Amino acid sequence: MSTVKRFAAPLVALIRLHLVAIVVVAALLLIYTLFGFFAVPRIARAQLQSYATEQMHRQVSVGEIRFNPFALDASVAGLALREADGSPVVGFRHLYVNAELASIWQRAVVLKEVELSAPDVDVIVAKDGTVNLAKLAPESKAESAEEPTSLPRVRIDRLDIRDGRIGFTDNTHTQPFTAVVAPIKFTLTNFKTDANYENAYDFSGSTLAGERLEWVGAFTVQPLGSSGRFRVQDLKAATVDSYAKDMLPFQLASGSATLAGNYRLAMTPALGFEATLPLLQVRELSVKERQAKSAPVTLPEVDIHEIALSYEKQDVGMKRIDVKGAHIDVAVEPDGSISLMRLFGEESSASPQVATPATSSAPAAGDSAPEDAQSESDEWRVHADTIQLSEATVVAEDRSVEPVAKFDLSPIALTVNGWSTDASAKVQVDADVTIDKKAKLLGKGDVQLEPLAAQLAVELTDFELPAIQPYLNEATAMTLHSGRLGAKGDVSYAAEPESAPPMKFKGEVRVADLRTTDQLVNEDFVKWRSLSVTGIDFSMNPDKLDINRIVARQPYGKVVIAQDTTLNVTKVLSPPGTSTPDTQPSKTEQPETAQSAREAGDTKQASEPMFPVRIKSIQFIDGSANFADYSIEPSFATGILELNGTVTGLSSDPSSRAKVKLDGKVDKYAPVDIGGEVNLLSAAVYTDLAMNFRNMELTTFNPYSGKFAGYNISKGKLSTELKYLVQDRKLDASHHIVIDNLEFGDKTDSKDAAPIPLKLAVALLKDRQGIIDLNLPVSGTLDDPEFRLGPIIWKAVLNLLTKIVTAPFAALGALIGGGEEMQFVDFDAGKAELPVAQTEKLNKLASALIERPQLKLSVPLTVVSAQDSEAIARAALKEKLPPDTSAEPPNNDAAKRQRMAVLEKVYKEVAKSAPAYPPETQSEKGIDVDARLKFLDQSLLDRFKPDDAALTALAQKRARAVQDTLLANTELSPERVFITAERSEGKTQSEQVRMELKLE
């Protein structure tokens, strides 16, 4: 028994010990169970509420908290953290955490599962830029000088967040920005904080606007980094605009974007970020001014392919950018501004700026200098291999002109290769633009943006010129009805040097079917079937314009002088509302004004050399022109037709000589040809031209004839040979004018008619074949301020005619070697017989009259009454005297008395009585023989003087003598020599009676 007791005692003690242990364990287990199930939730709730209230100064409400000490899981059925004013901050519907005992031996926080349901976070950015969530962290009372500790080891097999919500409000904007992302889903598996361990995650979320974010990948905690895939779907432009409203001067009115790609983020040892996006899609994007109703820019489809972003390289590269169906409305406003520039806030530059965190907390200028320097040195490079614009439309308006000019550029196809933000980068451009549904503009070549330089091959076809009518209205009074412009060539431009940027163009320009009308009279002004300018070689700096050939087919122009004598060309090419400048200075000011103008022109020419121009050939094919003058009544009109020819070797070089050869017709039947050499661009230096006009109907010029000549023209033809030679501004011109069968019609009442007997002038000039042949030389210097060719020629003609009509017999005598004396016939006093010399003179006059068949000669009845009467009386007295009576006066007393006796005898015979001497012939000394001889002689002469009829008869005899002598030449028609009916007093010339003939 004792033995049993001895062996049983240790057993009992052992059992007792086990029982104690069991009791202790049970008690501990009970305590653990009670503490875990009941105490832990209470303590957790109290600690949460205490921390939120005392440390965070927030309100917190916590739902049921459960903890299973055996499963090591905990759950919280709802939590809401609010600001002191009750606004929500953070909350969730349910949180479940399941830990594992492995945390003990693994010396890490090992969580098997974490589930968070319906988390709700409100992120609020205050006006001062602070974030509400940042204030949840407790304020540090002292800065720790200890080294940062390593991260604790954490293991989470799975973390699930479901039905989450994130609200975001940014009050730094003028209007607060709000956004909500819900529901949010986030999954994290096998999370570890071990070095270089990649933790897989999956995040997705949506906004109330239907935008969706998907983010799948892995991240490492040590070092902090991440890589994965992301996708943003249907990101609304309105969302971006709402957030960036204060930063964007324009409004993103509509549109959405979808993008997806891969990324890599590394935080140590330096920030590194790389992303690749296979495709970024933007749909139905529209941009407009804020508060505007319509969007001037719409982009229906934008696809950006293969985007690569590198933070380390500061590089953004894109393989291809496709823009399809873009529509842009752009306008030049009446004030000259461009409507699209308003999208970039040009008009709001003076408005007050809204303070933002960025501006309010901006550092001082001195503090920002290093950052500015760094930003300048670390510029990002953005580049795209290809940018392609297709099916685009640009509607351009110019509202600064009236009516508004509008151009519809659609479709537009543009390809840009090699675009980059590099300053020296060159891009290759290939453009195809349709203008107003008809014209085509093609351009291809290289462009450098900074400094601007371009080398392009361009081609424009079928551009309808009436589209530029609003611009013509600004500068002309011309209507452009039709015309198609085409151009093809190579263009190059360089913006440097800035003082004289070089520009070049090589190619050709063509304009077809051009037609313009003069708005003043609504008639054709300038038109042509086609104008081609080929072989153009144009450059600036150095200046040069070389043209190989210009061909004008069926060109036409019209020059009109209006009723107020203004020229239509001047009016048409003057801006509307401007008066035509007076080109005729007053007589007192004209020389000085013209001289000063010429000197100013010379000074300008010396300081600004003429732009060098060379044109190899200009060809006119079937050209025409019309001229009308409404300043005279009736109006005048004529035209040039079938104008053909060439001008070769045209140049602005003063030593050059262009050869001119043109021919045409005036009014269909009058041939015209122009030929010679001229420097058309420096005509004052050298001109040698000959212009021939043949067979022109003079009746065409009736309006001018009626106005300036005083007669209409009934018939006649004109031919001219004009030659102009200018050398070193000195003119030597000749005008050979031939008029055939000129006949005047009715006389007009023109006040401007030349004050000369024009018909007489014509009769003097017209030969027996009806031809007038004139040579008018004109010379002068172009430096003469009063030199104008037209007035000089008219003055020469008028001087010639005046000279002819004022000295007609001189002009007539020039035909047969006579002179002005042919106008006079001299007779011996009292006689009608022609002296021999006068007969010879009349014979010459007859020959001259035969050469001028339209001339008529008037022979006047001419006497000198006193001289002729005395001559007749003396002849009658001589007949009464004895034949042996001496004609010499007696020189002694005996002879005197003898003659007195003879005269007394004759007196008694004639008077039938003795002479009754006056008393003064008798003196105390006796008879005064001399006085009585004088009395007898004068008394007899008075008795023998002829009466008026006798003098008229003498005049008639003389006229008939002249007429008979002239008509002795049978070629002279009798009806051309007239004897006037009225007797006229002639003049005495060398004691002879002079008859003055008159031409009509």
Side-chain angles (χ1 to χ4, degrees), residues 241-542:
D241 181 78
S242 178
Y243 182 75
K245 182 181 297 183
D246 293 337
M247 295 177 282
L248 295 177
F250 51 81
Q251 180 181 355
L252 301 176
S254 65
S256 63
T258 298
L259 62 149
N262 302 318
Y263 76 96
R264 181 190 66 81
L265 172 66
M267 302 296 293
T268 56
L271 177 62
F273 180 76
E274 291 183 354
T276 59
L277 287 76
L279 179 63
L280 167 60
Q281 294 180 319
V282 179
R283 294 292 182 267
E284 303 301 334
L285 177 65
S286 63
V287 181
K288 69 183 183 70
E289 299 176 57
R290 300 197 180 275
Q291 310 304 325
K293 294 182 179 180
S294 60
V297 178
T298 58
L299 304 174
E301 293 184 30
V302 179
D303 293 334
I304 306 176
H305 302 267
E306 299 183 33
I307 304 172
L309 181 149
S310 173
Y311 181 81
E312 296 94 326
K313 299 178 181 178
Q314 292 189 315
D315 183 273
V316 178
M318 294 160 280
K319 188 72 174 178
R320 184 183 183 90
I321 301 176
D322 288 327
V323 181
K324 185 176 182 180
H327 185 102
I328 299 174
D329 293 324
V330 59
V332 177
E333 301 294 353
D335 61 358
S337 63
I338 299 176
S339 60
L340 281 183
M341 299 310 294
R342 294 198 297 269
L343 293 178
F344 302 97
E346 281 197 349
E347 293 184 352
S348 61
S349 59
S351 61
Q353 296 183 351
V354 179
T356 64
T359 58
S360 62
S361 60
D367 298 337
S368 64
E371 296 180 3
D372 294 342
Q374 182 178 2
S375 64
E376 290 178 2
S377 61
D378 298 335
E379 292 183 356
W380 279 74
R381 178 175 180 265
V382 183
H383 56 95
D385 294 349
T386 301
I387 301 175
Q388 186 166 26
L389 185 70
S390 61
E391 300 179 18
T393 298
V394 174
V395 178
E397 293 184 356
D398 190 346
R399 298 167 184 167
S400 65
V401 295
E402 184 66 33
V404 174
K406 186 174 182 180
F407 300 93
D408 187 358
L409 311 181
S410 177
I412 299 175
L414 173 66
T415 301
V416 179
N417 293 319
W419 176 81
S420 171
T421 57
D422 293 342
S424 59
K426 287 187 177 180
V427 299
Q428 293 76 48
V429 177
D430 189 350
D432 184 343
V433 182
T434 300
I435 305 173
D436 293 334
K437 299 182 180 181
K438 293 183 180 181
K440 273 278 190 180
L441 175 61
L442 306 177
K444 188 174 184 180
D446 298 334
V447 177
Q448 179 177 311
L449 299 180
E450 187 179 349
L452 183 61
Q455 290 183 340
L456 298 173
V458 297
E459 181 177 2
L460 175 66
T461 57
D462 295 330
F463 177 73
E464 295 290 340
L465 288 175
I468 67 172
Q469 181 63 49
Y471 300 100
L472 292 180
N473 291 342
E474 296 290 306
T476 70
M478 177 174 64
T479 301
L480 182 55
H481 294 277
S482 65
R484 300 189 309 277
L485 172 66
K488 183 177 182 181
D490 298 325
V491 178
S492 63
Y493 173 79
E496 292 185 351
E498 294 183 1
S499 59
M503 177 185 294
K504 295 181 180 179
F505 174 76
K506 290 185 178 181
E508 60 185 41
V509 175
R510 303 177 186 273
V511 179
D513 296 326
L514 179 78
R515 177 174 175 261
T516 66
T517 57
D518 180 347
Q519 294 176 1
L520 304 174
V521 294
N522 198 28
E523 295 179 355
D524 285 344
F525 179 56
V526 174
K527 64 179 181 179
W528 59 68
R529 175 64 62 190
S530 67
L531 176 68
S532 63
V533 184
T534 57
I536 301 174
D537 186 355
F538 168 80
S539 69
M540 294 182 65
N541 302 312

Side-chain angles (χ1 to χ4, degrees), residues 630-651:
Y630 297 108
S631 66
I632 57 176
E633 186 66 36
S635 59
F636 168 78
T638 188
I640 297 177
L641 305 173
E642 300 179 21
L643 180 64
N644 295 277
T646 59
V647 179
T648 58
L650 189 64
S651 173

Side-chain angles (χ1 to χ4, degrees), residues 40-186:
V40 167
R42 291 176 178 271
I43 294 172
R45 180 186 298 277
Q47 290 295 322
L48 281 173
Q49 291 176 342
S50 175
Y51 183 81
T53 303
E54 297 176 5
Q55 299 294 328
M56 301 175 61
H57 308 290
R58 303 290 190 277
Q59 301 177 12
V60 64
S61 61
V62 184
E64 182 183 6
I65 299 177
R66 292 184 180 184
F67 178 71
N68 188 334
F70 301 105
L72 295 180
D73 60 12
S75 64
V76 179
L79 181 146
L81 181 66
R82 294 182 175 82
E83 296 284 355
D85 59 1
S87 58
V89 180
V90 177
F92 54 82
R93 185 173 62 213
H94 187 268
L95 172 64
Y96 172 78
V97 179
N98 186 4
E100 292 187 353
L101 289 176
S103 301
I104 299 174
W105 58 82
Q106 291 186 8
R107 296 181 180 180
V109 177
V110 180
L111 302 177
K112 183 178 182 180
E113 184 177 5
V114 177
E115 292 182 358
L116 181 63
S117 298
D120 193 337
V121 179
D122 285 291
V123 181
I124 300 175
V125 181
K127 290 185 177 182
D128 61 359
T130 58
V131 181
N132 64 335
L133 295 184
K135 297 179 181 179
L136 298 180
E139 298 179 358
S140 58
K141 298 182 179 180
E143 296 183 359
S144 177
E146 297 181 356
E147 295 290 333
T149 59
S150 60
L151 291 174
R153 297 180 65 194
V154 179
R155 305 282 190 275
I156 301 177
D157 289 347
R158 182 176 181 84
L159 170 64
D160 281 332
I161 299 176
R162 299 188 302 272
D163 300 328
R165 173 192 172 277
I166 297 178
F168 179 77
T169 301
D170 190 345
N171 292 307
T172 61
H173 299 272
T174 305
Q175 295 181 353
F177 169 78
T178 60
V180 176
V181 180
I184 293 174
K185 178 182 178 183
F186 179 75

